[in-house]
Amino acid sequence: MGLLNFEKKKVKEEKRMKVEYSGYLGKCKPLIRKLVEELSKDYGYVSVLGTDTKGRSYRVSRTGTIIKDYDFGERGFVVRIHNGINYSEYSFNEIKEENLGDIMAAVHSSLGRAGNLKRNIYDIIVEDEVAENFQGEMEVNPEELGQKAILADLTDIRDKGLAESELVVNFSASYSSSHVSKLFLSGKKELEQSYMLGEARLLSLAARNGKIKYYYKSASGMKGYEVMDEIRDKYRETVQESVNLLDAKPFNPGEYDVICAPDITGLIAHEAFGHGVEMDMFVRERSKGADYLGKQVASELITMHDGATAAKQVSSYLFDDEGVMGTDTVIIEKGILKAGISDILSAGKLGTNPTGNGKRESYERKAYARMTNTCFEAGESRVEDMIASIKCGYLLEGMYSGMEDPKDWGIQCIALLGREIRDGKLTGELISPVVMTGFVPDLLKSISMISDKVEMEGAGYCGKGYKEFVKTSNGGPYIKAKVRLG
């Protein structure tokens, strides 16, 4: 998108290759089209989402090697119908000419009667004619590179990490890939997409006199094995920081001026106005954000985005799991809360346009309004000037965890470490871990400086409550804010 100042790596065109689309979904497509046509004779709306996701995870450490299939691998379909009152869904994992009649009979018997529940009434989805496909690109295909080469590379990195310090009790190098293919068919839509997601992580565990600390580096993207290039040479830094954390000092809880590194900025964005503006929560009257649309909720320096097209990261796609095209939603513009993010059914209830944020953990699970790529826009400040502006405070980095109550707007973010700043300079002293708490608008309104570059990452998963895990990415620039640490 034009507004965000993302860095773009220059890659020679000849090194790029298209990500292959699922042969299985391609073979099933005529039968899925037939299923949609037949069911459309009885129902006002019919759509089918087909998914075929596979991948491998590798982890090499001092204690051994772990190789396993991707945790969220799947192959199957979900049909959605409008039963005359609301929407019902039926999932299945195999379709053949000979069982097509059985699938239709199951839809009629199990979904048609759901229309007797005269509550949560939904209008029939109105769609435009769309036929598009997307194939992601990568430089190094992990499926072709093979297990032997990947393990040799990870083992070499691990060995270098272990050799860096006698205080390192364990060092691991990890890589995982997921090859995603999806098909969406309805009366008016024919959509296909395929892409590769890559994640890499280095983790160092250091110990001394019974004290144990860790530090990590990670990278992610719509990439193949080339994602390892982003952290391969960072083993020395990873080890050194884990050792430095053994000397982390306690600190006095209180209110401080802080600078948040991009991963902590992203954590704040994710928790504060990511979950807080998922519009299925508006429908359930479970989000305070609904009451603040059009009002100031942050510093005038803050503009925040979410969307599949807001960045190129692990939650970018052509269409979501409801067949809605990916978008770039401006959630906050110059401090004013402008919009939320929605699945198609929540948008229908609220009378808004869907934003392409309907995501499923799998074809067997319900679609919810979920974040994609969530971030603050870049500003104009230099990081060194931001540090120089602080009399007594900390530079926070290393995303650990976070949570937020969308009903009351309380937020808690935990950073792996804080670097002490005194009289505008980093002293070299560390605190760890660091718990940051506050009221979302107070925190965001306190932001007074924003750096001039955005960094994004998505080496993890996001749950809705305690379940429904999906890929998201978040990030942003460095920000200066006043927060409570404890």
Side-chain angles (χ1 to χ4, degrees):
M1 70 188 176
L3 291 175
L4 294 186
N5 183 25
F6 291 114
E7 287 190 313
K8 298 180 180 178
K9 289 185 67 177
K10 295 181 179 179
V11 179
K12 292 182 179 180
E13 196 65 34
E14 60 267 22
K15 292 180 65 178
R16 311 293 296 178
M17 64 184 82
K18 295 288 187 181
V19 177
E20 184 179 2
Y21 181 66
S22 166
Y24 177 74
L25 292 181
K27 183 179 69 174
C28 293
K29 184 178 176 180
L31 287 173
I32 296 297
R33 171 56 67 195
K34 185 175 180 179
L35 177 63
V36 170
E37 290 173 352
E38 290 298 317
L39 290 175
S40 294
K41 296 176 182 178
D42 297 298
Y43 303 104
Y45 175 84
V46 179
S47 68
V48 176
L49 172 73
T51 68
D52 187 3
T53 300
K54 59 184 179 179
R56 299 281 274 174
S57 296
Y58 305 86
R59 181 176 182 269
V60 178
S61 69
R62 168 172 274 169
T63 55
T65 297
I66 298 174
I67 306 168
K68 63 178 183 176
D69 290 332
Y70 177 57
D71 288 338
F72 292 89
E74 60 172 348
R75 176 180 282 182
F77 306 88
V78 57
V79 57
R80 171 183 280 181
I81 66 164
H82 189 276
N83 56 41
I85 294 176
N86 48 38
Y87 286 90
S88 302
E89 296 183 342
Y90 177 79
S91 62
F92 54 96
N93 58 14
E94 187 177 38
I95 184 168
K96 299 178 180 178
E97 188 70 50
E98 52 266 32
N99 76 340
L100 195 59
D102 293 337
I103 293 172
M104 288 190 288
V107 170
H108 291 316
S109 63
S110 62
L111 303 190
R113 65 171 177 262
N116 294 324
L117 300 174
K118 295 188 177 181
R119 58 183 180 181
N120 291 329
I121 298 173
Y122 287 89
D123 293 333
I124 293 176
I125 295 170
V126 177
E127 296 180 324
D128 295 325
E129 293 272 2
V130 182
E132 290 191 33
N133 67 79
F134 167 74
Q135 281 183 279
E137 295 183 333
M138 59 184 167
E139 292 180 49
V140 182
N141 186 346
E143 297 166 355
E144 294 180 357
L145 185 61
Q147 177 175 300
K148 183 177 180 180
I150 291 173
L151 288 178
D153 187 37
L154 296 179
T155 300
D156 179 63
I157 299 170
R158 177 208 59 187
D159 291 345
K160 290 177 179 177
L162 289 172
E164 275 298 305
S165 172
E166 60 183 16
L167 296 176
V168 174
V169 295
N170 204 350
F171 187 95
S172 64
S174 306
Y175 169 75
S176 67
S177 66
S178 53
H179 184 166
V180 180
S181 294
K182 294 190 178 184
L183 165 71
F184 184 88
L185 293 178
S186 68
K188 291 189 175 183
K189 289 187 174 181
E190 182 176 317
L191 304 172
E192 295 169 291
Q193 60 187 357
S194 58
Y195 48 86
M196 185 74 73
L197 302 180
E199 298 178 26
R201 182 184 294 263
L202 306 181
L203 188 145
S204 176
L205 194 68
R208 184 179 60 208
N209 300 328
K211 188 175 185 180
I212 299 175
K213 288 291 184 178
Y214 77 90
Y215 189 80
Y216 70 90
K217 283 288 185 181
S218 60
S220 64
M222 297 184 78
K223 302 173 181 179
Y225 194 72
E226 68 270 15
V227 73
M228 282 301 303
D229 295 340
E230 298 177 27
I231 63 168
R232 179 177 285 105
D233 296 329
K234 295 183 178 180
Y235 63 88
R236 184 172 289 110
E237 176 187 349
T238 306
V239 168
Q240 189 58 56
E241 291 294 3
S242 69
V243 171
N244 291 342
L245 282 168
L246 293 172
D247 295 318
K249 301 290 195 301
F251 69 102
N252 295 320
E255 193 171 65
Y256 291 91
D257 287 322
V258 300
I259 294 170
C260 297
D263 58 343
I264 303 301
T265 299
L267 179 61
I268 292 171
H270 182 99
E271 299 296 346
F273 276 100
H275 287 301
V277 293
E278 291 172 337
M279 293 176 74
D280 52 354
M281 305 300 281
F282 288 16
V283 174
R284 296 168 58 192
E285 298 182 350
R286 186 67 185 84
S287 173
K288 205 174 188 69
D291 300 327
Y292 279 76
L293 287 170
K295 299 178 182 178
Q296 184 176 2
V297 294
S299 160
E300 292 181 358
L301 298 175
I302 290 293
T303 293
M304 175 179 162
H305 295 251
D306 179 276
T309 65
K312 187 178 180 182
Q313 251 294 339
V314 296
S315 200
S316 300
Y317 44 74
L318 174 66
F319 59 92
D320 71 3
D321 291 337
E322 299 178 295
V324 178
M325 307 305 282
T327 63
D328 173 13
T329 301
V330 177
I331 295 174
I332 300 173
E333 184 175 23
K334 296 181 179 180
I336 305 299
L337 181 59
K338 291 289 188 178
I341 54 177
S342 67
D343 60 290
I344 197 168
L345 297 186
S346 297
K349 276 289 188 184
L350 297 167
T352 60
N353 293 322
T355 59
N357 289 77
K359 299 169 69 175
R360 303 174 185 269
E361 180 180 285
S362 79
Y363 70 92
E364 297 179 298
R365 307 300 289 263
K366 181 182 181 296
Y368 292 91
R370 305 302 302 276
M371 281 173 277
T372 51
N373 306 300
T374 311
C375 58
F376 293 135
E377 271 190 24
E380 299 179 351
S381 298
R382 299 187 308 162
V383 175
E384 51 266 41
D385 293 334
M386 297 169 70
I387 294 173
S389 72
I390 291 182
K391 178 72 174 176
C392 176
Y394 296 94
L395 169 59
L396 307 181
E397 66 179 60
M399 183 174 68
Y400 184 84
S401 69
M403 58 181 161
E404 184 255 354
D405 177 5
K407 183 68 174 177
D408 296 313
W409 264 357
I411 187 173
Q412 174 180 287
C413 297
I414 304 179
L416 187 58
L417 64 90
R419 301 184 188 278
E420 185 183 57
I421 303 172
R422 289 290 182 271
D423 298 320
K425 295 180 180 179
L426 292 167
T427 67
E429 297 292 329
L430 302 179
I431 58 173
S432 175
V434 187
V435 180
M436 174 173 58
T437 60
F439 181 58
V440 168
D442 289 346
L443 192 160
L444 296 187
K445 287 178 181 178
S446 76
I447 295 172
S448 57
M449 299 180 78
I450 301 177
S451 73
D452 55 3
K453 185 174 71 173
V454 167
E455 298 176 24
M456 299 286 292
E457 190 175 90
Y461 292 84
C462 171
K464 199 171 182 81
Y466 60 91
K467 57 188 179 110
E468 307 302 337
F469 291 96
V470 297
K471 291 300 298 177
T472 60
S473 79
N474 52 69
Y478 286 82
I479 61 172
K480 177 186 175 183
K482 187 175 287 292
V483 302
R484 174 164 289 279
L485 303 180

